[in-house]
Coordinates of all heavy atoms in Angstrom, one line a residue:
E12 N -50.2 -43.4 -33.3 CA -49.5 -44.7 -33.1 C -48.3 -44.9 -34.0 O -47.5 -45.8 -33.9 CB -50.4 -45.9 -33.1 CG -51.2 -46.0 -34.4 CD -52.5 -45.2 -34.5 OE1 -52.7 -44.4 -33.6 OE2 -53.2 -45.4 -35.5
R13 N -48.1 -44.0 -35.0 CA -47.0 -44.1 -36.0 C -46.0 -43.0 -35.7 O -45.0 -42.9 -36.5 CB -47.6 -43.9 -37.4 CG -48.5 -45.1 -37.8 CD -48.9 -45.1 -39.2 NE -49.6 -43.8 -39.6 CZ -49.2 -43.1 -40.6 NH1 -48.2 -43.4 -41.4 NH2 -49.9 -42.0 -40.9
I14 N -46.1 -42.2 -34.6 CA -45.1 -41.2 -34.4 C -43.8 -41.7 -33.8 O -43.9 -42.6 -32.9 CB -45.8 -40.1 -33.4 CG1 -46.8 -39.3 -34.1 CG2 -44.7 -39.2 -32.8 CD1 -47.5 -38.3 -33.3
Q15 N -42.7 -41.3 -34.3 CA -41.4 -41.6 -33.8 C -40.8 -40.3 -33.2 O -40.9 -39.3 -33.8 CB -40.5 -42.2 -34.9 CG -39.2 -42.7 -34.3 CD -38.4 -43.5 -35.4 OE1 -38.9 -43.7 -36.5 NE2 -37.2 -43.9 -35.0
L16 N -40.1 -40.5 -32.1 CA -39.5 -39.3 -31.4 C -38.0 -39.3 -31.7 O -37.3 -40.3 -31.7 CB -39.7 -39.4 -29.9 CG -41.1 -39.6 -29.4 CD1 -41.2 -39.7 -27.9 CD2 -42.0 -38.5 -29.9
F17 N -37.5 -38.1 -31.9 CA -36.1 -37.8 -32.1 C -35.7 -36.7 -31.1 O -36.2 -35.6 -31.2 CB -35.8 -37.4 -33.5 CG -36.2 -38.4 -34.6 CD1 -37.5 -38.4 -35.1 CD2 -35.3 -39.3 -35.1 CE1 -37.9 -39.3 -36.0 CE2 -35.7 -40.2 -36.0 CZ -37.0 -40.2 -36.5
E18 N -34.8 -37.1 -30.2 CA -34.4 -36.1 -29.2 C -33.0 -35.5 -29.5 O -32.1 -36.3 -29.9 CB -34.4 -36.8 -27.8 CG -34.2 -35.9 -26.7 CD -34.4 -36.5 -25.3 OE1 -34.9 -37.7 -25.3 OE2 -34.0 -35.9 -24.3
F19 N -32.9 -34.2 -29.2 CA -31.7 -33.5 -29.5 C -31.2 -32.7 -28.3 O -32.1 -32.1 -27.6 CB -31.8 -32.6 -30.7 CG -32.1 -33.3 -32.0 CD1 -33.4 -33.6 -32.3 CD2 -31.1 -33.7 -32.8 CE1 -33.7 -34.3 -33.5 CE2 -31.4 -34.4 -34.0 CZ -32.7 -34.7 -34.3
S20 N -29.9 -32.7 -28.0 CA -29.4 -31.9 -26.9 C -28.6 -30.7 -27.4 O -28.1 -30.0 -26.6 CB -28.5 -32.8 -25.9 OG -27.5 -33.4 -26.7
E21 N -28.5 -30.6 -28.7 CA -27.9 -29.4 -29.3 C -28.9 -28.8 -30.3 O -29.5 -29.4 -31.1 CB -26.6 -29.8 -30.1 CG -25.6 -30.4 -29.2 CD -24.3 -30.8 -30.0 OE1 -24.3 -30.5 -31.2 OE2 -23.4 -31.4 -29.4
K22 N -29.1 -27.5 -30.1 CA -30.0 -26.7 -30.9 C -29.7 -26.8 -32.4 O -30.6 -26.9 -33.2 CB -30.1 -25.3 -30.4 CG -31.2 -24.4 -31.1 CD -31.2 -23.0 -30.5 CE -32.3 -22.2 -31.2 NZ -32.3 -20.8 -30.7
A23 N -28.4 -26.6 -32.7 CA -28.0 -26.6 -34.1 C -28.4 -28.0 -34.8 O -28.8 -28.0 -36.0 CB -26.5 -26.3 -34.3
A24 N -28.2 -29.1 -34.1 CA -28.5 -30.4 -34.6 C -30.0 -30.5 -34.8 O -30.5 -31.1 -35.8 CB -28.0 -31.5 -33.7
A25 N -30.8 -30.0 -33.9 CA -32.3 -30.1 -34.0 C -32.7 -29.3 -35.2 O -33.6 -29.7 -36.0 CB -32.9 -29.5 -32.7
Q26 N -32.1 -28.1 -35.4 CA -32.5 -27.2 -36.5 C -32.1 -27.9 -37.9 O -32.9 -27.9 -38.8 CB -31.9 -25.8 -36.4 CG -32.4 -24.9 -37.5 CD -32.1 -23.5 -37.2 OE1 -31.9 -23.1 -36.1 NE2 -32.0 -22.7 -38.3
E27 N -31.0 -28.5 -37.9 CA -30.6 -29.2 -39.1 C -31.5 -30.3 -39.4 O -31.9 -30.6 -40.6 CB -29.1 -29.7 -39.0 CG -28.6 -30.4 -40.2 CD -27.2 -30.8 -40.1 OE1 -26.5 -30.3 -39.2 OE2 -26.7 -31.7 -40.9
F28 N -31.9 -31.1 -38.4 CA -32.8 -32.2 -38.6 C -34.2 -31.7 -39.1 O -34.7 -32.3 -40.0 CB -33.0 -33.0 -37.3 CG -33.9 -34.2 -37.3 CD1 -33.4 -35.4 -37.8 CD2 -35.2 -34.1 -37.0 CE1 -34.2 -36.5 -37.9 CE2 -36.1 -35.2 -37.1 CZ -35.5 -36.4 -37.5
I29 N -34.7 -30.6 -38.5 CA -36.0 -30.1 -39.0 C -35.8 -29.6 -40.4 O -36.7 -29.8 -41.2 CB -36.5 -29.0 -38.1 CG1 -36.9 -29.6 -36.7 CG2 -37.6 -28.2 -38.7 CD1 -37.3 -28.5 -35.7
C30 N -34.7 -28.9 -40.7 CA -34.5 -28.5 -42.1 C -34.5 -29.6 -43.1 O -35.1 -29.5 -44.2 CB -33.2 -27.7 -42.2 SG -33.2 -26.1 -43.0
D31 N -33.9 -30.7 -42.7 CA -33.8 -31.9 -43.6 C -35.2 -32.6 -43.7 O -35.4 -33.3 -44.7 CB -32.9 -32.9 -43.0 CG -31.4 -32.5 -43.1 OD1 -31.1 -31.6 -43.9 OD2 -30.5 -33.1 -42.4
H32 N -36.1 -32.4 -42.8 CA -37.4 -33.0 -42.8 C -38.5 -31.9 -42.8 O -39.6 -32.2 -42.4 CB -37.6 -33.9 -41.5 CG -36.6 -35.0 -41.5 ND1 -35.4 -34.9 -40.9 CD2 -36.7 -36.3 -42.0 CE1 -34.7 -36.1 -41.1 NE2 -35.5 -36.9 -41.7
I33 N -38.3 -30.8 -43.4 CA -39.2 -29.7 -43.3 C -40.5 -30.0 -44.0 O -41.6 -29.6 -43.6 CB -38.6 -28.4 -43.9 CG1 -39.4 -27.2 -43.5 CG2 -38.5 -28.4 -45.4 CD1 -39.4 -26.9 -42.0
N34 N -40.5 -30.9 -45.0 CA -41.8 -31.2 -45.7 C -42.7 -32.1 -44.9 O -43.9 -32.2 -45.1 CB -41.5 -31.9 -47.1 CG -41.0 -31.0 -48.1 OD1 -41.3 -29.8 -48.0 ND2 -40.2 -31.4 -49.0
C35 N -42.2 -32.6 -43.8 CA -43.0 -33.3 -42.8 C -43.9 -32.4 -42.0 O -44.9 -32.8 -41.4 CB -42.1 -34.1 -41.8 SG -41.2 -35.5 -42.6
F36 N -43.5 -31.1 -42.1 CA -44.3 -30.1 -41.4 C -45.1 -29.2 -42.4 O -46.1 -28.6 -42.0 CB -43.4 -29.2 -40.5 CG -42.8 -30.0 -39.4 CD1 -41.5 -30.5 -39.5 CD2 -43.5 -30.2 -38.2 CE1 -40.9 -31.2 -38.5 CE2 -42.9 -30.9 -37.2 CZ -41.6 -31.4 -37.3
R37 N -44.6 -29.0 -43.6 CA -45.2 -28.1 -44.5 C -45.8 -28.7 -45.8 O -46.3 -28.1 -46.6 CB -44.2 -27.0 -44.9 CG -43.1 -27.5 -45.8 CD -42.1 -26.5 -46.1 NE -42.5 -25.6 -47.2 CZ -41.8 -24.6 -47.7 NH1 -40.7 -24.3 -47.2 NH2 -42.3 -23.9 -48.7
G38 N -45.8 -30.0 -45.8 CA -46.4 -30.7 -47.0 C -47.9 -31.0 -46.7 O -48.3 -31.3 -45.6
E39 N -48.7 -30.8 -47.8 CA -50.1 -31.1 -47.7 C -50.3 -32.5 -47.3 O -49.7 -33.4 -47.8 CB -50.8 -30.8 -49.0 CG -52.3 -30.9 -48.9 CD -53.0 -30.4 -50.2 OE1 -52.3 -29.9 -51.1 OE2 -54.2 -30.4 -50.2
G40 N -51.2 -32.8 -46.3 CA -51.5 -34.1 -45.8 C -50.4 -34.6 -44.8 O -50.5 -35.7 -44.3
S41 N -49.5 -33.7 -44.4 CA -48.4 -34.1 -43.5 C -48.8 -34.1 -42.0 O -48.1 -34.6 -41.2 CB -47.2 -33.2 -43.7 OG -47.6 -31.9 -43.2
H42 N -50.0 -33.5 -41.6 CA -50.4 -33.3 -40.2 C -49.3 -32.5 -39.5 O -49.1 -32.7 -38.3 CB -50.5 -34.6 -39.5 CG -51.4 -35.6 -40.2 ND1 -52.8 -35.5 -40.3 CD2 -51.1 -36.8 -40.9 CE1 -53.3 -36.5 -41.0 NE2 -52.3 -37.3 -41.4
G43 N -48.7 -31.5 -40.2 CA -47.6 -30.7 -39.7 C -47.9 -30.0 -38.4 O -47.0 -30.0 -37.5
V44 N -49.1 -29.5 -38.2 CA -49.4 -28.7 -37.0 C -49.5 -29.7 -35.8 O -49.0 -29.4 -34.7 CB -50.6 -27.8 -37.1 CG1 -51.0 -27.2 -35.8 CG2 -50.4 -26.8 -38.2
I45 N -50.1 -30.8 -36.0 CA -50.2 -31.9 -35.0 C -48.9 -32.4 -34.6 O -48.6 -32.5 -33.4 CB -51.1 -33.0 -35.4 CG1 -52.6 -32.6 -35.6 CG2 -51.1 -34.2 -34.4 CD1 -53.5 -33.6 -36.2
L46 N -48.0 -32.6 -35.6 CA -46.6 -33.1 -35.3 C -45.9 -32.0 -34.4 O -45.2 -32.4 -33.5 CB -45.9 -33.4 -36.5 CG -46.3 -34.6 -37.3 CD1 -45.5 -34.7 -38.6 CD2 -46.2 -35.8 -36.5
F47 N -46.1 -30.8 -34.8 CA -45.4 -29.7 -34.0 C -46.0 -29.6 -32.6 O -45.2 -29.5 -31.6 CB -45.6 -28.4 -34.7 CG -44.9 -27.2 -34.0 CD1 -43.5 -27.2 -33.8 CD2 -45.7 -26.2 -33.5 CE1 -42.9 -26.2 -33.1 CE2 -45.1 -25.2 -32.8 CZ -43.7 -25.2 -32.6
L48 N -47.3 -29.8 -32.4 CA -47.9 -29.8 -31.1 C -47.4 -30.9 -30.3 O -47.0 -30.8 -29.1 CB -49.4 -29.9 -31.2 CG -50.2 -29.9 -29.9 CD1 -49.9 -28.6 -29.1 CD2 -51.7 -30.1 -30.2
Y49 N -47.3 -32.1 -30.8 CA -46.7 -33.3 -30.1 C -45.2 -33.0 -29.8 O -44.8 -33.3 -28.7 CB -46.8 -34.6 -31.0 CG -48.1 -35.3 -30.8 CD1 -48.7 -35.9 -32.0 CD2 -48.7 -35.5 -29.6 CE1 -49.9 -36.6 -31.9 CE2 -49.9 -36.3 -29.5 CZ -50.4 -36.8 -30.7 OH -51.6 -37.5 -30.6

């Protein structure tokens, strides 16, 4: 219920966004695998 969606139509922009928020996927307690699955 706390997930927010960010949509990208350019691959480079998506990669930059993920790079900027990489700790949301690799930080302990981040639920990174679930976020990636969603």
